[in-house]
Amino acid sequence: GQAHPPLGCNMAITRDSRHKRRNTGGRRNVHKKKRKFEVGRQAANTKLNAAGKRIHIVRARGGAQKFRALRLDTGNFSWGSEVCTRKTRILDVVYNASNNELVRTKTLVKNCIVQVDATPFKQWYETHFGVTVGPKGAAGKVTPVEATGSDHHKRKYATRQRTRELDARIREQLAGGRILAAISSRPGQSGRADGYVLEGAELAFYMKEMNKKKKGRKA
């Protein structure tokens, strides 16, 4: 008869559940073979790499395209409370709730916590509010700059400074040049590593988690 290939050859990744046992622990009878619409693919394992981005285009079902990012180094990040979005460099992967290996290997996935370059946000903040965010040594002190130009120009900056509020943790990060952010896109699907700046209770939570890990390593 016809020779069959050895077990393990041409084994596709599949997303079906027919191979799983029942909830009771009993084995299921597999009554049909794998289907094309159940196909899965290898994980992208997008790496943070300063050498630049590398993206593969993958043909999906129906001729659709997926953008499989293999290497990325920049992304668009939104500062929600200030309604400010800037393209900036991703500097480091610092936390991942699912797996520490993804931190060690600097793998970019959705909802991993990264450090991004704070310069674009700092420049916007200083220009928009007419202030100077001091260097890290000065504890990130924010000092108003005397407005020049027309009276309207001066009144505009005076109004902005009256309503200005900056979280102490954000201020320290801006002064230090690195700001914590979360990735909200799916780099292996969209080919992008976009996200948002961590603020408020979410920032406090992740800073506490990272401090725990630091203490655990020292112990």
Side-chain angles (χ1 to χ4, degrees), residues 40-64:
R41 298 183 184 88
Q42 292 284 352
N45 292 327
T46 309
K47 301 298 181 197
L48 173 59
N49 195 316
K53 64 181 181 181
R54 185 176 185 189
I55 298 167
H56 284 182
I57 297 175
V58 177
R59 184 194 182 276
R61 193 167 162 83

Side-chain angles (χ1 to χ4, degrees), residues 122 133-141 171-172 174-177:
K122 183 180 176 184
V133 180
K136 197 170 184 181
K141 191 177 177 184
R171 187 178 69 230
E172 286 169 14
L174 289 177

Side-chain angles (χ1 to χ4, degrees), residues 151-206:
D151 286 344
H152 170 74
H153 197 254
K154 290 175 183 175
R155 285 198 306 274
K156 180 178 75 172
Y157 278 104
T159 305
R160 284 179 181 174
Q161 286 183 16
R162 277 200 302 273
T163 58
R164 180 183 67 78
E165 286 183 16
L166 185 61
D167 188 333
R169 288 183 293 252
I170 297 281
R171 187 178 69 230
E172 286 169 14
Q173 289 181 80
L174 289 177
R178 290 173 171 237
I179 196 163
L180 289 172
I183 289 182
S184 56
S185 67
R186 300 169 68 196
Q189 305 288 321
S190 64
R192 302 175 64 91
D194 299 338
Y196 58 94
V197 172
L198 293 177
E199 300 180 84
E202 195 176 12
L203 174 60
F205 170 78
Y206 282 115

Side-chain angles (χ1 to χ4, degrees), residues 43-158:
N45 292 327
T46 309
K47 301 298 181 197
L48 173 59
N49 195 316
K53 64 181 181 181
R54 185 176 185 189
I55 298 167
H56 284 182
I57 297 175
V58 177
R59 184 194 182 276
R61 193 167 162 83
Q65 288 184 328
K66 291 186 177 186
F67 299 94
R68 187 81 78 235
L70 304 179
R71 290 198 311 247
L72 288 173
D73 63 340
T74 58
N76 289 332
F77 289 87
S78 171
W79 187 358
S81 64
E82 298 295 348
V83 196
C84 168
T85 302
R86 290 291 180 271
K87 181 179 179 180
T88 185
R89 286 184 306 128
I90 303 170
L91 303 175
D92 198 8
V93 179
V94 291
Y95 183 79
N96 192 310
S98 62
N99 192 344
N100 285 336
E101 275 297 290
L102 300 179
V103 177
R104 188 184 65 80
T105 55
K106 298 191 188 304
T107 304
L108 298 173
V109 294
K110 182 173 178 173
N111 214 41
C112 73
I113 307 303
V114 295
Q115 279 185 335
V116 300
D117 185 7
T119 306
F121 297 106
K122 183 180 176 184
Q123 288 174 343
W124 174 84
Y125 193 86
E126 291 179 336
T127 306
H128 183 75
F129 288 105
V131 296
T132 301
V133 180
K136 197 170 184 181
K141 191 177 177 184
V142 178
T143 52
V145 176
E146 189 175 345
T148 56
S150 66
D151 286 344
H152 170 74
H153 197 254
K154 290 175 183 175
R155 285 198 306 274
K156 180 178 75 172
Y157 278 104

Side-chain angles (χ1 to χ4, degrees), residues 22-36:
R22 295 190 176 94
N23 288 339
T24 58
R27 294 194 60 163
R28 279 199 182 99
N29 290 325
V30 179
H31 66 285
K32 65 178 183 180
K33 294 191 176 182
K34 295 177 182 179
R35 298 292 190 254
K36 175 70 173 170

